[in-house]
Structure formats: structure tokens, C-alpha cells
Amino acid sequence: MSERNIAKIGKFLEKTDFSLINKLPGIENKWEFIKKNFHLAIESCCPLKEVKAKKFQKAGWFDSELVASRNYRDFCYHNYLNCKNEFYLNEYREARRDFIKLNRKKMISFFESKSSKDFKNSKKFWSFYKSSIKTRGDADFNSIP
């Protein structure tokens, strides 16, 4: 919590009438009264953020192995950011290279097992397939001596 939120909670609690606590019988009832007012102050001044889980599995080839590889890559990146060490930078680069290689391998094997009948629009399939998969016809013949 920030200092500003703590100040908001303090102002909210200043407005609360705690003189009612003397009228309550028993220590348990008094504790419930205090606890309820503090929770109300915190929830009104600092509501919980709703965090939506990201959908990382957008592609058909993205499986648990790729998720683990991506998580390791991110872990290495955060290690590098925290320490700015050459060792962590090399570890991150290697993890990134391994993730990219594994992603490409899984994507290629996924699309090699598909046919144009697996997609509703064959033009979209072939434009994506051609941009994702290199074929022998893509070789630059001008570079041959």
C-alpha cells in the first residue's frame, strides 16, 4: 500500500464512530466490530484489483513444453534485469534462442500435419503457411555461382 492509500484509510477511520464499541457485550462482539470497520475502510480506499489471466495458448502448437521454456526465458530475463551481470545476459540469450528454436520446431510440425481442409478459408491458410514455413522454392538462385 502506498502512503496516500494509508492516509485515505486513516481519514475513513476518523469518520467511523467507535463509541458504539462500549455498548457491545463481550470481547468477541467488540473485536468483530473493529475488524469489520477496518476491512470496510481498506476495501473502500484500496479495492482489490481484478487481474485477468493472459491467454498464452493462442496457437495449436503451444503446449506445456513451450510454456515451461517461455517461463524459463522470462525467469532468466528478470535475473539479468536484477543483476545486470554478463553471465545472466548470456543465460537469457541462450534461453531465448532455445525458446525460439522450440517454438519454430513445434509450429512446423503442427502445420505439416494439417491440410487445407482443416481451415475454413484456404487463402488465409496458405498465406500464413507460406510466411511461416520455408520451402525449397524460397532459395535465392541468384546466389549460386
Side-chain angles (χ1 to χ4, degrees):
M1 265 191 260
S2 67
E3 291 181 26
R4 184 174 53 184
N5 287 341
I6 293 172
K8 284 181 183 179
I9 292 171
K11 289 179 183 177
F12 188 87
L13 290 174
E14 286 174 357
K15 296 175 186 176
T16 305
D17 184 19
F18 284 102
S19 64
L20 300 174
I21 200 165
N22 295 330
K23 297 176 184 175
L24 295 174
I27 192 74
E28 293 296 323
N29 293 335
K30 291 178 182 183
W31 172 245
E32 282 297 320
F33 176 78
I34 291 172
K35 189 168 84 169
K36 185 174 78 172
N37 282 314
F38 271 90
H39 279 285
L40 184 63
I42 291 171
E43 288 176 7
S44 64
C45 296
C46 311
L48 290 176
K49 289 184 179 179
E50 290 186 22
V51 179
K52 294 181 181 179
K54 294 180 181 177
K55 289 181 105 179
F56 287 113
Q57 196 168 355
K58 294 181 180 176
W61 62 87
F62 220 86
D63 60 355
S64 61
E65 188 180 9
L66 268 174
V67 170
S69 179
R70 185 198 62 219
N71 289 344
Y72 180 68
R73 179 203 64 192
D74 294 345
F75 171 76
C76 292
Y77 180 70
H78 289 295
N79 280 346
Y80 169 67
L81 285 181
N82 290 337
C83 298
K84 299 289 184 184
N85 189 344
E86 189 70 25
F87 172 76
Y88 290 121
L89 176 63
N90 291 333
E91 187 179 25
Y92 164 67
R93 286 178 177 165
E94 184 178 332
R96 183 181 62 188
R97 184 175 38 248
D98 292 343
F99 172 75
I100 291 171
K101 187 189 303 182
L102 183 63
N103 187 29
R104 287 178 180 162
K105 179 181 160 188
K106 297 250 182 200
M107 182 177 62
I108 288 169
S109 65
F110 175 78
F111 281 105
E112 282 178 344
S113 67
K114 298 291 180 189
S115 67
S116 61
K117 293 179 182 176
D118 293 330
F119 295 90
K120 292 180 181 177
N121 187 345
S122 62
K123 287 184 181 181
K124 289 182 181 179
F125 169 77
W126 285 110
S127 66
F128 178 79
Y129 189 83
K130 186 177 180 183
S131 66
S132 302
I133 308 292
K134 289 188 177 183
T135 59
R136 293 176 70 191
D138 292 340
D140 185 14
F141 290 108
N142 295 332
S143 63
I144 300 174

